[in-house]
Structures are given as C-alpha cells and as structure tokens.
C-alpha cells in the first residue's frame, strides 16, 4: 500500500480545518499564521510517525508470512514423504489380510 502522501494529506487537512476555525472565530492575522504553522508542523510529525508505524507493522506481517510459507513448504515435503510411507504400510497390511 502506498503511504507516501499520508503525512502531507494529514497535515493539509488539519491546516484547512485550522484556517476555517481561526477565520470563523475572527482571530488576528498573526495568531492565525502562528497557529497554522504549529498545527502544520505537529500534524506533519504525527503523519510521519503514523506512516512509520504502519510500514513497520506491514514489514513484520510480510516477514511472518514468509516464515510461515517456508515452514509450510518444509512441512509439506515431510508430510508427503510420511503419507507415502503410510500408504506403503497400508498396502502391505492389505496384502497380508488378503493372503
């Protein structure tokens, strides 16, 4: 999944909400700009932390899937040989019964 633009989208959305709220509340221009700057900075950092966290979990999930796939392949080969041996034993038992 592409999370490249997540911090930017989060930051710009928070900035737009801040602009609307400060305009409706009729703050002075200096307070609007200062609050907008800090909100943009804060939400950009939150977005980067969120992106890093999601990427970290996705990497862990991929590694887990790869390990499980390798284990299944290894177990699959062992189980096939086991089933082959079991079938051979069953065949010998059946021939013994028929005799």
């Amino acid at each position: 999944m592409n999370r490249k633009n997540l911090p930017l989208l989060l930051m710009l959305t928070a900035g737009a909400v801040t602009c609307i709220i400060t305009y409706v509340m009729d703050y002075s221009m200096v307070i609007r700009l200062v609050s907008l700057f800090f909100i943009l900075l804060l939400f950009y950092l939150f977005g980067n932390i969120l992106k890093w966290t999601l990427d970290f979990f996705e990497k862990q999930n991929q590694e887990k899937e790869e390990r499980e796939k390798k284990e299944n392949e290894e177990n699959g080969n062992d189980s096939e040989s086991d089933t082959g041996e079991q079938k051979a034993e069953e065949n010998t038992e059946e021939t013994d019964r028929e005799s």
Side-chain angles (χ1 to χ4, degrees):
M1 174 179 250
N2 187 7
R3 296 183 183 100
K4 180 180 174 183
N5 295 328
L6 182 67
L8 299 175
L9 292 173
L10 188 63
M11 175 186 73
L12 292 174
T13 303
V17 170
T18 302
C19 288
I20 293 169
I21 290 174
T22 55
Y23 181 77
V24 170
M25 300 294 246
D26 200 30
Y27 288 127
S28 70
M29 186 59 68
V30 174
I31 294 175
R32 285 183 196 176
L33 291 175
V34 170
S35 63
L36 178 62
F37 174 74
F38 285 114
I39 290 295
L40 291 176
L41 184 64
L42 180 71
F43 277 90
Y44 183 73
L45 292 174
F46 283 159
N48 277 327
I49 291 170
L50 180 64
K51 178 184 172 288
W52 179 82
T53 304
L54 292 173
D55 288 342
F56 179 75
F57 286 135
E58 183 176 359
K59 184 179 177 183
Q60 280 185 337
N61 288 339
Q62 287 176 348
E63 290 174 355
K64 182 179 178 183
E65 288 176 1
E66 289 174 2
R67 275 187 273 124
E68 289 176 353
K69 187 176 181 181
K70 286 181 182 179
E71 289 175 0
N72 287 340
E73 288 176 357
E74 290 173 0
N75 291 339
N77 292 339
D78 293 341
S79 65
E80 288 176 5
S81 62
D82 290 342
T83 56
E85 291 173 5
Q86 289 174 353
K87 287 180 182 177
E89 289 175 10
E90 290 174 2
N91 288 338
T92 55
E93 289 175 3
E94 288 178 12
T95 55
D96 291 339
R97 287 182 201 156
E98 292 175 0
S99 302

XYZ file of all heavy atoms in Angstrom:
816
model
N 0.843 -1.175 0.000
C 0.000 0.000 0.000
C 0.888 1.238 0.000
O 1.886 1.306 0.702
C -0.911 -0.033 1.222
C -1.730 1.215 1.380
S -2.807 1.150 2.798
C -4.340 1.020 1.960
N 0.515 2.224 -0.780
C 1.298 3.442 -0.896
C 0.911 4.431 0.205
O -0.193 4.961 0.222
C 1.076 4.053 -2.277
C 1.993 5.225 -2.529
O 2.885 5.518 -1.738
N 1.776 5.895 -3.636
N 1.842 4.656 1.102
C 1.594 5.587 2.210
C 2.470 6.828 2.100
O 2.649 7.553 3.064
C 1.869 4.887 3.533
C 0.940 3.752 3.798
C 1.216 3.161 5.160
N 0.382 2.035 5.378
C 0.776 0.775 5.226
N 2.003 0.507 4.886
N -0.056 -0.214 5.435
N 3.013 7.035 0.935
C 3.966 8.123 0.740
C 3.347 9.489 1.055
O 3.997 10.346 1.650
C 4.460 8.079 -0.706
C 5.448 9.139 -1.070
C 5.853 9.000 -2.523
C 6.733 10.132 -2.949
N 7.075 10.046 -4.372
N 2.115 9.696 0.672
C 1.476 11.004 0.827
C 0.660 11.143 2.112
O 0.021 12.173 2.315
C 0.582 11.284 -0.373
C 1.373 11.406 -1.655
O 2.513 11.854 -1.641
N 0.798 10.979 -2.750
N 0.671 10.141 2.963
C -0.120 10.180 4.190
C 0.214 11.381 5.082
O -0.704 12.096 5.506
C 0.028 8.870 4.954
C -0.786 8.748 6.232
C -2.273 8.716 5.909
C -0.385 7.505 6.991
N 1.491 11.663 5.370
C 1.784 12.825 6.219
C 1.325 14.145 5.605
O 0.806 15.020 6.304
C 3.313 12.803 6.361
C 3.715 11.420 6.052
C 2.697 10.897 5.083
N 1.482 14.260 4.290
C 1.082 15.502 3.627
C -0.427 15.704 3.659
O -0.919 16.807 3.924
C 1.588 15.510 2.185
C 3.103 15.428 2.017
C 3.459 15.316 0.551
C 3.767 16.617 2.657
N -1.171 14.632 3.396
C -2.632 14.740 3.417
C -3.151 15.055 4.822
O -4.061 15.884 4.984
C -3.264 13.454 2.894
C -3.052 13.162 1.419
C -3.569 11.774 1.062
C -3.727 14.215 0.568
N -2.569 14.419 5.816
C -2.971 14.676 7.196
C -2.668 16.126 7.590
O -3.499 16.809 8.186
C -2.255 13.696 8.126
C -2.684 13.693 9.583
C -4.141 13.260 9.695
C -1.803 12.754 10.382
N -1.491 16.589 7.214
C -1.064 17.941 7.535
C -1.959 18.978 6.843
O -2.423 19.939 7.475
C 0.379 18.144 7.097
C 0.898 19.550 7.274
S 2.530 19.789 6.582
C 2.179 19.798 4.842
N -2.230 18.782 5.566
C -3.032 19.759 4.833
C -4.486 19.768 5.290
O -5.128 20.821 5.320
C -2.940 19.495 3.334
C -1.561 19.775 2.728
C -1.528 19.344 1.266
C -1.191 21.233 2.876
N -5.009 18.624 5.666
C -6.381 18.574 6.188
C -6.475 19.329 7.506
O -7.408 20.123 7.716
C -6.825 17.111 6.381
O -6.707 16.431 5.141
C -8.248 17.042 6.874
N -5.517 19.098 8.393
C -5.503 19.806 9.673
C -5.304 21.307 9.459
O -5.909 22.128 10.159
C -4.395 19.257 10.566
N -4.494 21.662 8.473
C -4.283 23.072 8.164
C -5.548 23.743 7.659
O -5.855 24.880 8.034
N -6.294 23.036 6.818
C -7.540 23.601 6.296
C -8.554 23.797 7.424
O -9.222 24.841 7.500
C -8.118 22.687 5.218
N -8.643 22.812 8.310
C -9.568 22.931 9.452
C -9.147 24.099 10.344
O -9.981 24.881 10.807
C -9.617 21.605 10.242
C -10.364 21.768 11.548
C -10.242 20.510 9.398
N -7.852 24.251 10.578
C -7.346 25.348 11.400
C -7.663 26.699 10.766
O -8.078 27.640 11.460
C -5.819 25.211 11.596
O -5.552 23.959 12.193
C -5.273 26.330 12.459
N -7.473 26.804 9.455
C -7.781 28.065 8.768
C -9.261 28.423 8.901
O -9.604 29.587 9.162
C -7.404 27.970 7.291
S -5.648 27.990 6.993
N -10.115 27.433 8.738
C -11.560 27.690 8.837
C -11.925 28.110 10.254
O -12.667 29.082 10.452
C -12.355 26.448 8.387
C -12.148 26.228 6.890
C -13.825 26.584 8.727
C -12.660 24.894 6.381
N -11.419 27.403 11.250
C -11.764 27.720 12.640
C -11.249 29.098 13.038
O -11.975 29.888 13.665
C -11.228 26.622 13.590
C -12.021 25.341 13.385
C -11.286 27.080 15.047
C -11.498 24.149 14.153
N -9.996 29.401 12.671
C -9.451 30.714 13.056
C -10.157 31.845 12.312
O -10.292 32.946 12.844
C -7.930 30.783 12.798
O -7.655 30.465 11.438
C -7.180 29.861 13.731
N -10.640 31.590 11.123
C -11.384 32.620 10.386
C -12.756 32.857 11.013
O -13.183 33.990 11.197
C -11.539 32.208 8.916
C -12.279 33.220 8.092
C -11.663 34.382 7.670
C -13.620 33.005 7.736
C -12.353 35.317 6.910
C -14.315 33.921 6.982
C -13.680 35.078 6.573
O -14.377 36.012 5.833
N -13.437 31.756 11.354
C -14.771 31.872 11.943
C -14.696 32.527 13.322
O -15.548 33.354 13.675
C -15.439 30.482 12.026
C -16.711 30.521 12.858
C -15.734 29.959 10.628
N -13.662 32.207 14.091
C -13.509 32.781 15.432
C -12.955 34.207 15.390
O -12.834 34.846 16.428
C -12.594 31.896 16.277
C -13.119 30.494 16.448
S -14.608 30.475 17.396
C -14.045 29.622 18.822
N -12.583 34.678 14.211
C -12.115 36.041 13.987
C -10.853 36.365 14.789
O -10.764 37.381 15.471
C -13.223 37.059 14.303
C -12.972 38.401 13.648
O -12.350 38.420 12.569
O -13.380 39.425 14.227
N -9.852 35.477 14.684
C -8.556 35.724 15.304
C -7.782 36.731 14.464
O -8.050 36.904 13.271
C -7.736 34.433 15.414
C -8.241 33.463 16.450
C -8.501 32.144 16.115
C -8.436 33.844 17.772
C -8.946 31.231 17.054
C -8.889 32.941 18.721
C -9.136 31.639 18.358
O -9.580 30.754 19.292
N -6.788 37.356 15.077
C -5.939 38.279 14.316
C -5.067 37.485 13.352
O -4.864 36.282 13.504
C -5.069 39.105 15.263
O -4.100 38.280 15.862
N -4.520 38.186 12.375
C -3.744 37.524 11.343
C -2.487 36.860 11.912
O -2.118 35.761 11.502
C -3.352 38.526 10.242
C -2.669 37.896 9.055
S -3.641 36.619 8.214
C -4.953 37.579 7.518
N -1.843 37.483 12.872
C -0.630 36.917 13.464
C -0.952 35.607 14.184
O -0.249 34.600 14.018
C 0.029 37.934 14.431
C 1.200 37.307 15.157
C 0.476 39.170 13.676
N -2.021 35.606 14.950
C -2.406 34.387 15.670
C -2.800 33.294 14.679
O -2.479 32.122 14.881
C -3.545 34.684 16.672
C -3.024 35.602 17.766
C -4.094 33.398 17.257
C -4.080 36.054 18.741
N -3.480 33.656 13.600
C -3.846 32.675 12.579
C -2.611 32.009 11.988
O -2.557 30.786 11.849
C -4.617 33.346 11.445
C -6.032 33.705 11.759
C -6.683 34.284 10.525
N -7.908 34.985 10.879
C -8.646 35.660 10.032
N -8.290 35.753 8.766
N -9.746 36.265 10.419
N -1.633 32.837 11.617
C -0.437 32.299 10.972
C 0.406 31.456 11.930
O 0.917 30.395 11.551
C 0.406 33.438 10.394
C -0.214 34.162 9.199
C 0.653 35.346 8.784
C -0.408 33.207 8.039
N 0.539 31.917 13.171
C 1.325 31.159 14.144
C 0.650 29.823 14.449
O 1.312 28.771 14.476
C 1.542 31.986 15.433
C 2.128 31.141 16.541
C 2.436 33.175 15.141
N -0.658 29.862 14.672
C -1.359 28.601 14.964
C -1.319 27.668 13.760
O -1.138 26.456 13.912
C -2.803 28.877 15.399
O -3.521 29.481 14.346
N -1.456 28.210 12.550
C -1.380 27.386 11.343
C -0.006 26.728 11.215
O 0.096 25.535 10.917
C -1.678 28.226 10.097
C -1.596 27.494 8.758
C -2.627 26.374 8.701
C -1.779 28.474 7.616
N 1.053 27.501 11.474
C 2.409 26.957 11.392
C 2.593 25.790 12.359
O 3.087 24.734 11.981
C 3.446 28.046 11.676
C 4.846 27.528 11.752
C 5.513 27.154 10.600
C 5.488 27.398 12.969
C 6.803 26.657 10.662
C 6.774 26.908 13.038
C 7.439 26.540 11.883
N 2.190 25.976 13.612
C 2.382 24.916 14.597
C 1.498 23.700 14.322
O 1.924 22.559 14.515
C 2.166 25.447 16.019
C 3.316 26.272 16.505
C 3.155 27.631 16.752
C 4.566 25.715 16.687
C 4.225 28.398 17.181
C 5.643 26.471 17.116
C 5.468 27.817 17.364
N 0.292 23.929 13.848
C -0.594 22.810 13.500
C -0.020 22.022 12.323
O -0.004 20.781 12.335
C -2.021 23.313 13.190
C -2.698 23.814 14.450
C -2.853 22.233 12.512
C -2.955 22.752 15.493
N 0.474 22.738 11.306
C 1.064 22.047 10.161
C 2.274 21.223 10.581
O 2.430 20.070 10.167
C 1.456 23.042 9.071
C 0.315 23.732 8.328
C 0.868 24.763 7.356
C -0.555 22.731 7.607
N 3.120 21.807 11.403
C 4.303 21.099 11.877
C 3.924 19.877 12.722
O 4.443 18.774 12.519
C 5.182 22.052 12.682
C 6.512 21.500 13.186
C 7.409 21.151 12.006
C 7.183 22.520 14.081
N 2.996 20.070 13.645
C 2.573 18.991 14.535
C 1.952 17.831 13.754
O 2.306 16.664 13.960
C 1.578 19.529 15.573
C 1.036 18.532 16.579
C 2.142 18.152 17.562
C -0.145 19.127 17.307
N 1.048 18.132 12.846
C 0.376 17.068 12.111
C 1.275 16.422 11.060
O 1.088 15.260 10.705
C -0.937 17.558 11.499
C -2.066 17.520 12.471
C -2.346 18.601 13.282
C -2.847 16.381 12.604
C -3.369 18.562 14.209
C -3.877 16.330 13.517
C -4.135 17.417 14.322
N 2.288 17.140 10.576
C 3.262 16.511 9.701
C 4.068 15.469 10.478
O 4.306 14.363 9.994
C 4.190 17.559 9.084
C 5.180 16.968 8.116
C 4.766 16.517 6.864
C 6.520 16.846 8.443
C 5.661 15.960 5.971
C 7.426 16.286 7.564
C 6.993 15.854 6.322
O 7.888 15.288 5.448
N 4.448 15.820 11.694
C 5.161 14.858 12.542
C 4.280 13.665 12.883
O 4.730 12.510 12.832
C 5.655 15.537 13.817
C 6.770 16.572 13.629
C 7.066 17.273 14.949
C 8.004 15.921 13.070
N 3.007 13.914 13.232
C 2.080 12.807 13.514
C 1.924 11.904 12.293
O 1.878 10.685 12.410
C 0.708 13.336 13.927
C 0.638 13.852 15.336
C -0.365 14.741 15.695
C 1.544 13.469 16.303
C -0.450 15.221 16.990
C 1.474 13.949 17.591
C 0.468 14.825 17.939
N 1.825 12.498 11.124
C 1.680 11.725 9.895
C 2.888 10.854 9.626
O 2.760 9.699 9.208
N 4.072 11.400 9.856
C 5.292 10.605 9.662
C 5.383 9.462 10.664
O 5.793 8.350 10.311
C 6.541 11.487 9.772
C 6.833 12.198 8.479
O 6.583 11.672 7.401
N 7.344 13.409 8.574
N 4.997 9.719 11.903
C 5.002 8.657 12.915
C 3.990 7.575 12.538
O 4.289 6.384 12.630
C 4.705 9.238 14.316
C 5.878 10.106 14.771
C 4.414 8.136 15.318
C 5.597 10.925 16.014
N 2.814 7.977 12.100
C 1.792 7.018 11.675
C 2.269 6.208 10.475
O 2.115 4.978 10.433
C 0.487 7.749 11.336
C -0.677 6.894 10.881
C -1.112 5.947 11.995
C -1.827 7.768 10.438
N 2.869 6.862 9.493
C 3.399 6.170 8.313
C 4.477 5.186 8.719
O 4.480 4.027 8.256
C 3.964 7.182 7.326
C 4.579 6.578 6.092
C 5.200 7.669 5.235
C 5.995 7.109 4.092
N 7.234 6.489 4.505
N 5.395 5.588 9.567
C 6.465 4.702 10.005
C 5.892 3.488 10.739
O 6.326 2.361 10.516
C 7.429 5.453 10.920
C 8.526 4.580 11.424
C 9.678 4.241 10.786
C 8.541 3.885 12.674
N 10.415 3.400 11.571
C 9.748 3.159 12.731
C 7.669 3.821 13.755
C 10.089 2.379 13.826
C 8.011 3.038 14.838
C 9.202 2.325 14.873
N 4.905 3.723 11.610
C 4.293 2.627 12.370
C 3.599 1.634 11.441
O 3.760 0.417 11.580
C 3.290 3.188 13.392
O 3.958 4.125 14.231
C 2.692 2.084 14.238
N 2.823 2.128 10.492
C 2.121 1.247 9.561
C 3.099 0.458 8.691
O 2.901 -0.731 8.445
C 1.162 2.055 8.691
C -0.041 2.663 9.414
C -0.812 3.573 8.473
C -0.933 1.600 9.992
N 4.165 1.110 8.243
C 5.183 0.415 7.455
C 5.889 -0.657 8.284
O 6.193 -1.741 7.793
C 6.216 1.403 6.909
C 5.657 2.269 5.793
O 4.620 1.899 5.208
O 6.261 3.330 5.513
N 6.146 -0.360 9.551
C 6.793 -1.318 10.442
C 5.928 -2.558 10.625
O 6.408 -3.688 10.527
C 7.076 -0.654 11.793
C 7.727 -1.553 12.796
C 9.066 -1.872 12.690
C 6.990 -2.095 13.837
C 9.674 -2.708 13.615
C 7.582 -2.926 14.767
C 8.926 -3.229 14.656
N 4.626 -2.357 10.868
C 3.720 -3.495 11.038
C 3.581 -4.293 9.750
O 3.504 -5.526 9.771
C 2.351 -3.038 11.529
C 2.334 -2.646 12.975
C 1.685 -1.491 13.379
C 2.959 -3.401 13.929
C 1.665 -1.123 14.717
C 2.952 -3.049 15.261
C 2.299 -1.902 15.658
N 3.541 -3.608 8.620
C 3.433 -4.312 7.347
C 4.686 -5.157 7.093
O 4.592 -6.296 6.632
C 3.239 -3.329 6.203
C 3.048 -3.999 4.868
C 2.766 -3.019 3.743
O 2.699 -1.809 3.988
O 2.614 -3.491 2.610
N 5.849 -4.613 7.435
C 7.095 -5.361 7.272
C 7.095 -6.603 8.157
O 7.496 -7.692 7.725
C 8.284 -4.473 7.617
C 9.612 -5.123 7.398
C 10.746 -4.175 7.736
C 12.093 -4.851 7.594
N 13.199 -3.971 7.978
N 6.618 -6.468 9.402
C 6.532 -7.619 10.298
C 5.582 -8.678 9.744
O 5.873 -9.880 9.805
C 6.058 -7.197 11.686
C 7.123 -6.600 12.540
C 6.617 -6.325 13.942
O 5.410 -6.173 14.163
N 7.531 -6.255 14.887
N 4.447 -8.243 9.223
C 3.474 -9.188 8.663
C 4.049 -9.917 7.452
O 3.824 -11.126 7.287
C 2.184 -8.475 8.281
C 1.379 -8.066 9.485
O 1.542 -8.609 10.570
N 0.507 -7.085 9.300
N 4.780 -9.210 6.603
C 5.387 -9.852 5.443
C 6.431 -10.877 5.864
O 6.502 -11.966 5.295
C 6.023 -8.811 4.527
C 5.020 -7.992 3.758
C 5.672 -6.909 2.929
O 6.853 -6.609 3.085
N 4.899 -6.302 2.048
N 7.249 -10.532 6.857
C 8.252 -11.474 7.344
C 7.587 -12.708 7.952
O 8.046 -13.834 7.750
C 9.159 -10.799 8.375
C 10.085 -9.762 7.780
C 10.862 -8.998 8.828
O 10.605 -9.212 10.044
O 11.710 -8.180 8.452
N 6.496 -12.498 8.672
C 5.779 -13.619 9.277
C 5.191 -14.525 8.194
O 5.268 -15.753 8.297
C 4.672 -13.089 10.186
C 3.894 -14.160 10.899
C 2.832 -13.574 11.783
C 2.018 -14.645 12.462
N 0.937 -14.088 13.286
N 4.622 -13.930 7.157
C 4.061 -14.723 6.062
C 5.148 -15.529 5.354
O 4.933 -16.690 4.994
C 3.355 -13.810 5.053
C 2.055 -13.247 5.554
C 1.430 -12.265 4.577
O 2.013 -12.045 3.486
O 0.386 -11.699 4.906
N 6.320 -14.909 5.168
C 7.416 -15.617 4.518
C 7.886 -16.798 5.375
O 8.152 -17.881 4.847
C 8.586 -14.664 4.254
C 8.301 -13.660 3.161
C 9.417 -12.641 3.008
O 10.432 -12.740 3.740
O 9.266 -11.745 2.177
N 7.986 -16.571 6.703
C 8.389 -17.661 7.586
C 7.381 -18.795 7.553
O 7.736 -19.971 7.485
C 8.557 -17.153 9.026
C 9.917 -16.567 9.289
C 10.096 -16.244 10.751
N 9.581 -14.893 10.985
C 8.645 -14.562 11.866
N 8.134 -15.463 12.651
N 8.243 -13.319 11.986
N 6.085 -18.452 7.601
C 5.040 -19.474 7.565
C 5.059 -20.226 6.234
O 4.860 -21.447 6.198
C 3.668 -18.845 7.788
C 3.442 -18.367 9.201
C 2.109 -17.668 9.386
O 1.396 -17.434 8.371
O 1.779 -17.333 10.524
N 5.326 -19.502 5.154
C 5.378 -20.142 3.848
C 6.537 -21.130 3.786
O 6.384 -22.251 3.291
C 5.530 -19.076 2.760
C 5.433 -19.602 1.368
C 5.484 -18.486 0.355
C 5.363 -19.010 -1.052
N 5.435 -17.939 -2.052
N 7.690 -20.721 4.316
C 8.839 -21.632 4.341
C 8.553 -22.851 5.214
O 8.895 -23.973 4.859
C 10.083 -20.906 4.864
C 10.665 -19.938 3.871
C 11.893 -19.265 4.428
C 12.442 -18.250 3.449
N 13.622 -17.549 3.977
N 7.919 -22.627 6.380
C 7.579 -23.743 7.259
C 6.595 -24.686 6.584
O 6.723 -25.911 6.703
C 7.001 -23.224 8.573
C 8.015 -22.552 9.472
C 7.381 -21.950 10.705
O 6.141 -22.056 10.873
O 8.117 -21.349 11.498
N 5.625 -24.130 5.877
C 4.653 -24.972 5.181
C 5.318 -25.779 4.079
O 4.972 -26.941 3.859
C 3.522 -24.122 4.595
C 2.585 -23.616 5.670
O 2.530 -24.167 6.764
N 1.858 -22.562 5.357
N 6.273 -25.157 3.375
C 6.978 -25.891 2.328
C 7.799 -27.020 2.936
O 7.818 -28.122 2.406
C 7.877 -24.946 1.540
C 7.129 -24.002 0.637
C 8.040 -23.011 -0.051
O 9.262 -23.013 0.223
O 7.536 -22.229 -0.859
N 8.482 -26.726 4.048
C 9.276 -27.759 4.698
C 8.391 -28.864 5.254
O 8.681 -30.041 5.110
C 10.123 -27.154 5.817
C 11.236 -26.268 5.320
C 11.950 -25.557 6.442
O 11.566 -25.761 7.615
O 12.881 -24.800 6.158
N 7.310 -28.484 5.892
C 6.381 -29.476 6.440
C 5.650 -30.217 5.336
O 5.333 -31.383 5.479
C 5.375 -28.812 7.381
C 6.025 -28.309 8.651
O 7.104 -28.756 9.026
N 5.379 -27.364 9.306
N 5.381 -29.524 4.252
C 4.711 -30.165 3.125
C 5.556 -31.270 2.539
O 5.067 -32.341 2.208
N 6.847 -31.040 2.414
C 7.738 -32.081 1.896
C 7.812 -33.249 2.866
O 7.809 -34.393 2.465
C 9.147 -31.515 1.656
C 9.165 -30.514 0.525
O 8.279 -30.511 -0.320
N 10.159 -29.653 0.509
N 7.903 -32.969 4.161
C 7.951 -34.032 5.155
C 6.644 -34.802 5.198
O 6.636 -36.017 5.298
C 8.252 -33.462 6.551
C 9.660 -32.883 6.623
O 10.486 -33.226 5.761
O 9.907 -32.085 7.551
N 5.529 -34.091 5.126
C 4.243 -34.775 5.212
C 3.998 -35.633 3.982
O 3.376 -36.680 4.070
C 3.112 -33.760 5.403
O 2.996 -32.932 4.261
N 4.510 -35.221 2.821
C 4.338 -36.037 1.627
C 5.103 -37.351 1.769
O 4.614 -38.405 1.410
C 4.811 -35.278 0.386
C 3.885 -34.153 -0.020
C 4.446 -33.369 -1.201
O 5.497 -33.771 -1.748
O 3.828 -32.373 -1.563
N 6.306 -37.262 2.317
C 7.072 -38.494 2.494
C 6.418 -39.363 3.565
O 6.416 -40.578 3.456
C 8.527 -38.186 2.864
O 8.580 -37.494 4.088
N 5.864 -38.744 4.590
C 5.165 -39.509 5.624
C 3.936 -40.194 5.048
O 3.675 -41.357 5.344
C 4.745 -38.605 6.788
C 5.937 -38.116 7.607
O 7.021 -38.724 7.491
O 5.769 -37.119 8.340
N 3.179 -39.492 4.230
C 1.981 -40.096 3.654
C 2.361 -41.218 2.705
O 1.662 -42.216 2.604
C 1.112 -39.052 2.930
O 1.916 -38.397 1.924
C 0.557 -38.024 3.889
N 3.483 -41.075 2.014
C 3.950 -42.141 1.133
C 4.292 -43.383 1.923
O 3.977 -44.509 1.525
N 4.943 -43.213 3.057
C 5.291 -44.345 3.905
C 4.033 -44.982 4.482
O 3.926 -46.206 4.573
C 6.219 -43.895 5.035
C 7.603 -43.493 4.565
C 8.444 -42.903 5.679
O 7.965 -42.896 6.837
O 9.555 -42.446 5.404
N 3.069 -44.140 4.875
C 1.823 -44.664 5.435
C 1.073 -45.476 4.388
O 0.516 -46.537 4.677
C 0.945 -43.530 5.952
C 1.482 -42.870 7.206
C 0.660 -41.656 7.604
O -0.227 -41.232 6.870
N 0.954 -41.103 8.765
N 1.054 -44.981 3.152
C 0.362 -45.704 2.087
C 1.042 -47.046 1.832
O 0.380 -48.052 1.606
C 0.336 -44.875 0.804
C -0.616 -43.708 0.869
C -0.609 -42.927 -0.428
C -1.531 -41.732 -0.343
N -1.488 -40.928 -1.582
N 2.352 -47.048 1.870
C 3.080 -48.308 1.653
C 2.753 -49.298 2.759
O 2.546 -50.491 2.497
C 4.584 -48.041 1.592
N 2.673 -48.824 3.996
C 2.341 -49.703 5.117
C 0.914 -50.225 4.980
O 0.645 -51.392 5.242
C 2.505 -48.962 6.442
C 3.943 -48.679 6.817
C 4.051 -47.848 8.082
O 3.012 -47.653 8.762
O 5.153 -47.388 8.379
N -0.007 -49.359 4.558
C -1.390 -49.790 4.382
C -1.485 -50.852 3.292
O -2.244 -51.826 3.416
C -2.273 -48.584 4.044
C -2.472 -47.631 5.194
C -3.224 -46.372 4.785
O -3.626 -46.258 3.595
O -3.406 -45.510 5.644
N -0.749 -50.660 2.210
C -0.761 -51.638 1.115
C -0.231 -52.991 1.578
O -0.781 -54.035 1.218
C 0.051 -51.136 -0.080
C -0.656 -49.999 -0.800
O -1.871 -49.856 -0.687
N 0.107 -49.209 -1.536
N 0.829 -52.988 2.384
C 1.369 -54.265 2.872
C 0.389 -54.922 3.829
O 0.236 -56.141 3.815
C 2.733 -54.061 3.571
O 2.592 -53.103 4.609
C 3.798 -53.622 2.581
N -0.315 -54.135 4.642
C -1.310 -54.696 5.555
C -2.454 -55.313 4.774
O -2.967 -56.388 5.118
C -1.826 -53.618 6.512
C -0.825 -53.187 7.556
C -1.343 -52.043 8.407
O -2.507 -51.620 8.231
O -0.578 -51.557 9.253
N -2.891 -54.632 3.704
C -3.981 -55.154 2.882
C -3.565 -56.446 2.197
O -4.365 -57.404 2.122
C -4.396 -54.110 1.841
C -5.146 -52.931 2.423
C -5.494 -51.890 1.377
O -5.354 -52.182 0.157
O -5.890 -50.786 1.764
N -2.363 -56.502 1.700
C -1.915 -57.739 1.047
C -1.780 -58.870 2.052
O -2.047 -60.036 1.736
C -0.575 -57.513 0.309
O 0.374 -56.984 1.224
C -0.749 -56.595 -0.873
N -1.370 -58.528 3.297
C -1.298 -59.551 4.339
C -2.676 -60.085 4.669
O -2.861 -61.296 4.892
C -0.628 -58.998 5.603
C 0.850 -58.716 5.406
O 1.438 -59.290 4.471
O 1.412 -57.920 6.191
N -3.664 -59.214 4.705
C -5.032 -59.624 5.019
C -5.589 -60.534 3.924
O -6.324 -61.485 4.168
C -5.942 -58.414 5.175
C -5.712 -57.652 6.442
C -6.680 -56.504 6.558
N -6.151 -55.522 7.485
C -6.483 -54.242 7.489
N -7.350 -53.801 6.612
N -5.975 -53.445 8.368
N -5.292 -60.194 2.660
C -5.787 -60.968 1.531
C -5.139 -62.350 1.500
O -5.744 -63.306 1.036
C -5.513 -60.216 0.224
C -6.339 -58.959 0.087
C -5.968 -58.179 -1.159
O -5.068 -58.627 -1.914
O -6.578 -57.133 -1.397
N -3.944 -62.445 1.956
C -3.212 -63.721 1.881
C -3.686 -64.691 2.871
O -4.324 -65.061 3.574
C -1.718 -63.534 2.156
O -1.191 -62.618 1.244
